[in-house]
Amino acid sequence: MDYQSRLLKAIPGGAHTYSRGQDQFPSNAPALLKNGKGAYVYDQSGNKYLDYGMGLRSVVLGYAEDEVDLAAFQQIKNGNNLTRPSFVELEAAELFIDLIDSVDMVKFTKNGSTAVSAAVKLARAYTGREMVVRCAEQPFFSFDDWFIGSTEIKLGVTKDAIEKTKTFKFNDSSSFEELLNEYPNQIACIVMEPATTVEPLPGFFKKVEDLCKKNGVIFILDEMITGFRWHLKGAQFLYGINPDLCTFGKAMANGFSLAAIGGRREIMELGSIETIGKERVFLLSTTHGAEMGPLGAFISTVNFMKRNDVINHLWNYGSSLKAMLNHKAKLFGIDKSFKAFGIDCSPSYSILDQDGNNCLGLRTLFIQEMVKSNILLPWIALTFSHGKKELQTTEIAIDKAFATYRLALESSYENYLDGPVIKPVFRRFN
């Protein structure tokens, strides 16, 4: 059955996240997945795949972790969505505030885009300014116009939105300072992640914080990816960062739909109601924002992570995986082309052509060859369910994939590809 055609007919892009689309995977990847358990997923025919995609990094313990699922189900049985705030809503909010040191108040929602855009709205309200500065190297903050207008995809975005977002370079505070000088008293906030594949240089975030305070700019830290992977208290705790506002999501509820915006009380309470006569911000008002099932999953996920030292497991497995990948690349003589790098708890890999440029053709080939060994490795998202067995399985598959990879480097990847080359998500034309 042609599932891909059915998907494209029913859903724009064939998926509800562009990074799940057919143009992001080789032609032999399964078009549909039926279910997942632990570190594995199963396609429509029951074929089993070791997965490193892990629900776009939203799964940190493993698919369908019984303890978490039962906690979510118990809240679903309690009604899931009530007319007034629920007990679990209060419990989850107090847990989040207790975990994240920079947070005095929190509001839950369903996805990262909504949370980050809410932070931008608060910053604009608090400062009375409109311009946003965001990190150029970090790929995604929101589907809203303030961010999308700063990418290659500008169709449907107003000129005003495009002009009001500027970019600066990570680990280069001078590039931020230049924008502050160019647009004095116009910048409402700076938005960035604490780290991606590169860690912050010593003193970088302290300089950013100082510049924000000096210029009245709100510092928004996006921890959608780093949160509940780098440290239970966030990467901000690990790196000593003190944001005004911060956002979390993805791994915080082990795959259940939950995101959060939190921060300083004086900013967050702009969206509150108790101060009579004070102008307020219509912050987040989402029917399903405090849905009880995901909040129960969040509480259970945190408890599971504390008991089982999940964070250290991610760091240790990632270190072993990176070492294995780079060792194998050297053995096959492809180490100038294939490089595993990044932060141990969230490794990455780059694939370069013979001129040292990123090569989507070779990347497609590598992912294709891993699929042939029933491993999905579009990127590397680690979970507690990835253990010694999974590392050994990956190593065996790497030997096979690198054998073909080496041949492709010696001739041409086109000779070994079974379908089209994957494409960048952020491109102007299809």
Side-chain angles (χ1 to χ4, degrees):
M1 184 174 290
D2 187 0
Y3 288 111
Q4 194 59 66
S5 294
R6 289 174 61 188
L7 284 166
L8 287 168
K9 183 178 180 181
I11 305 166
H16 284 83
T17 309
Y18 280 110
S19 53
R20 284 190 173 105
Q22 70 171 46
D23 58 356
Q24 301 301 299
F25 289 85
S27 59
N28 66 334
L32 288 174
L33 294 175
K34 186 177 181 181
N35 64 294
K37 183 67 177 176
Y40 298 88
V41 290
Y42 300 82
D43 69 11
Q44 61 272 16
S45 301
N47 298 309
K48 180 180 179 181
Y49 299 85
L50 172 59
D51 188 22
Y52 283 96
M54 302 312 297
L56 311 187
R57 305 181 191 275
S58 69
V59 178
V60 69
L61 306 181
Y63 291 113
E65 173 56 49
D66 290 342
E67 181 179 323
V68 174
D69 290 354
L70 285 171
F73 183 56
Q74 180 58 53
Q75 294 302 327
I76 292 170
K77 290 201 300 180
N78 287 339
N80 196 46
N81 203 338
L82 308 178
T83 303
R84 295 298 308 277
S86 65
F87 278 99
V88 73
E89 184 175 342
L90 176 60
E91 183 182 357
E94 290 177 338
L95 173 60
F96 188 84
I97 292 167
D98 184 61
L99 276 175
I100 311 303
D101 293 339
S102 67
V103 172
D104 298 323
M105 302 180 80
V106 62
K107 199 147 191 180
F108 296 114
T109 184
K110 304 308 288 182
N111 61 71
S113 289
T114 308
V116 181
S117 287
V120 169
K121 187 176 187 179
L122 275 176
R124 285 172 164 165
Y126 187 81
T127 62
R129 305 171 183 176
E130 296 186 353
M131 291 187 68
V132 176
V133 173
R134 66 96 171 171
C135 186
E137 295 90 343
Q138 295 169 347
F140 188 75
F141 291 105
S142 177
F143 57 67
D144 286 313
D145 287 358
W146 70 266
F147 171 72
I148 295 299
S150 67
T151 73
E152 290 295 313
I153 310 173
K154 294 177 168 57
L155 188 63
V157 180
T158 65
K159 184 179 180 181
D160 183 62
I162 294 169
E163 292 175 346
K164 285 179 178 173
T165 298
K166 308 298 178 183
T167 61
F168 77 101
K169 297 177 182 178
F170 187 69
N171 273 336
D172 181 3
S173 59
S174 64
S175 65
F176 175 39
E177 191 168 14
E178 288 170 6
L179 289 171
L180 291 168
N181 293 331
E182 185 176 356
Y183 302 99
N185 302 314
Q186 297 178 62
I187 297 172
C189 59
I190 182 172
V191 184
M192 75 173 96
E193 298 177 71
T196 48
T197 58
V198 178
E199 292 190 288
L201 293 173
F204 168 66
F205 274 107
K206 178 62 168 61
K207 181 64 174 177
V208 169
E209 290 172 26
D210 289 346
L211 286 170
C212 285
K213 289 175 183 176
K214 180 181 177 181
N215 292 275
V217 174
I218 299 301
F219 176 19
I220 300 171
L221 193 70
D222 181 349
E223 291 225 45
M224 290 297 155
I225 292 176
T226 57
F228 301 95
R229 287 189 177 276
W230 267 241
H231 194 281
L232 258 180
K233 296 178 76 64
Q236 57 188 266
F237 180 84
L238 193 65
Y239 298 131
I241 307 169
N242 299 290
D244 296 308
L245 297 170
C246 56
T247 57
F248 285 75
K250 290 197 182 284
M252 68 184 295
N254 197 47
F256 284 87
S257 178
L258 187 65
I261 170 179
R264 288 166 40 200
R265 183 174 302 278
E266 64 187 275
I267 304 174
M268 290 292 294
E269 67 182 4
L270 288 176
S272 197
I273 60 172
E274 66 266 36
T275 306
I276 303 300
K278 184 178 181 179
E279 187 174 6
R280 67 189 178 106
V281 176
F282 200 83
L283 182 53
L284 284 171
S285 186
T286 52
T287 299
H288 302 287
E291 188 181 13
M292 296 160 68
L295 292 175
F298 163 58
I299 294 168
S300 180
T301 297
V302 171
N303 290 336
F304 186 103
M305 293 182 79
K306 287 179 177 178
R307 287 200 322 274
N308 293 284
D309 199 15
V310 170
I311 298 293
N312 276 334
H313 176 82
L314 302 181
W315 283 86
N316 292 334
Y317 187 95
S319 176
S320 297
L321 179 63
K322 273 172 53 181
M324 182 272 286
L325 290 171
N326 285 326
H327 174 67
K328 290 292 184 179
K330 189 171 184 178
L331 283 179
F332 278 86
I334 61 171
D335 50 308
K336 291 183 179 180
S337 176
F338 185 100
K339 302 176 186 294
F341 66 102
I343 301 163
D344 286 351
C345 65
S346 183
S348 189
Y349 62 87
S350 62
I351 292 183
L352 311 174
D353 62 20
Q354 292 180 335
D355 297 322
N357 300 313
N358 285 319
C359 182
L360 289 175
L362 283 171
R363 189 179 187 89
T364 308
L365 176 66
F366 170 69
I367 300 171
Q368 169 190 286
E369 295 305 300
M370 294 300 287
V371 171
K372 289 179 180 178
S373 293
N374 285 60
I375 295 180
L376 299 180
L377 192 61
W379 52 81
I380 302 174
L382 305 178
T383 73
F384 189 66
S385 295
H386 288 93
K388 290 182 179 179
K389 174 187 173 184
E390 286 69 33
L391 189 62
Q392 292 170 354
T393 299
T394 305
E395 185 171 3
I396 294 169
I398 285 291
D399 282 334
K400 297 176 182 177
F402 278 0
T404 303
Y405 188 108
R406 180 171 57 190
L407 293 174
L409 270 181
E410 293 170 353
S411 55
S412 175
Y413 67 77
E414 288 93 342
N415 297 331
Y416 300 91
L417 272 183
D418 298 332
V421 174
I422 59 178
K423 299 177 181 179
V425 168
F426 289 102
R427 60 187 192 275
R428 188 175 177 186
F429 299 102
N430 287 324

